[in-house]
Amino acid sequence: MLQTLKSLHLTFYSATFYQQLITSWKGIGLGFLLVATLLNALNIGMKVPHSFLGENYKELFAEFPDVSLKDGVMSMEAPSPQEFPIFEKTEDGPFKIVFDMSKPPNNKTALKERMEAEKIFVLVSPTHLSIKAPNQEKVETQDFSGIDDTIVTQEEWLKIETILVALVAPSTLIFTIGALFLNHFLTALFGAIFLLLVSQLLKITSDFKGMLRLAAAAKVPLATFSLFVAPHLALQGLIWLGFALFGLLAARKPVGKKDKNL
């Protein structure tokens, strides 16, 4: 891994690096795949709050009504119900957070049916907080009995937003990193097969592991560019192909004495 880190900058320009990567390095390039994964995760991580709650998630919390809780019963002075859209870009979205101070359904079946029909993700009623996550059958409910009397103003809602994002982001990123690494690994496998076929046409002596290392290393420049721009999928493929072919052609040249030390 240390060798990989020391060579990251060489993936952008060094024919000698690619030549040695193909002919003399060991392994299958997992270090390069991990670096590309982390670069992509960094890019996605900055957008987690937006993808979770929507583009204007801070404004969403700022619009929540002031509510008061007294003796286990919630009330608000604003008109009821109030609805706030979230998950606007997800499949089957948008869903809603609803503050409804009218009497809630008297059983869980009726509550579930209402939340499904109206696509309610969170329902705040006078006595309960109910949550039904998309594509899940169970409705989670929490009654307000036993909770100390309190008043939640817009200032408190914004504090809750900060805490929520801090809780959601790490778990979301862990899942994202795993999915990204798997995607990079699988696409590198297919890329290595393609490069191996091309190497035979160009009469370049190589093996599958060498091509897999090359396919993985060529992902590092692409992942770096993705931090600054969001190229179309086809353009991403062309960028990767350009670096991969550059490295493949570099393998045609014999390694001289001066080239053995990067």
Side-chain angles (χ1 to χ4, degrees), residues 33-104:
L33 295 180
L34 180 59
V35 170
T37 297
L38 293 177
L39 287 172
N40 288 154
L42 176 63
N43 190 24
I44 294 173
M46 295 184 289
K47 303 174 183 177
V48 165
H50 299 278
S51 60
F52 176 62
L53 293 171
E55 293 291 337
N56 301 316
Y57 70 99
K58 288 185 179 293
E59 289 82 353
L60 172 70
F61 279 82
E63 291 176 0
F64 283 176
D66 294 355
V67 297
S68 60
L69 186 64
K70 183 175 178 61
D71 298 328
V73 178
M74 182 171 289
S75 61
M76 65 183 189
E77 295 184 3
S80 173
Q82 291 204 21
E83 301 180 353
F84 304 91
I86 59 172
F87 301 125
E88 296 182 84
K89 294 184 177 181
T90 60
E91 185 179 358
D92 298 328
F95 292 84
K96 296 182 289 188
I97 296 175
V98 177
F99 291 80
D100 188 350
M101 296 300 108
S102 62
K103 185 177 180 180

Side-chain angles (χ1 to χ4, degrees), residues 191-257:
I193 294 172
F194 169 76
L195 292 173
L196 190 61
L197 293 174
V198 174
S199 70
Q200 300 305 309
L201 294 175
L202 297 177
K203 298 181 179 180
I204 298 173
T205 302
S206 61
D207 58 17
F208 183 71
K209 284 188 176 181
M211 294 300 97
L212 189 52
R213 290 193 296 270
L214 172 58
K219 284 178 172 287
V220 173
L222 173 59
T224 304
F225 292 147
S226 297
L227 290 174
F228 307 100
V229 294
H232 187 272
L233 184 62
L235 182 56
Q236 291 183 33
L238 288 175
I239 293 173
W240 172 85
L241 182 62
F243 281 97
L245 291 179
F246 170 70
L248 190 61
L249 292 173
R252 302 180 70 177
K253 300 179 181 179
V255 179
K257 290 182 180 181

Side-chain angles (χ1 to χ4, degrees), residues 1 9 12 17 19 22 36 47 98 103 106 110-111 114 133 141 149 160 162 174 179 190 225 233 238 244-245 250 261:
M1 187 63 186
H9 64 290
F12 289 85
F17 158 75
Q19 182 184 9
I22 295 170
K47 303 174 183 177
V98 177
K103 185 177 180 180
N106 56 11
L111 176 62
R114 179 193 172 185
T141 60
D149 294 352
I160 292 173
T162 303
I174 289 172
F190 286 109
F225 292 147
L233 184 62
L238 288 175
L245 291 179
N261 296 314

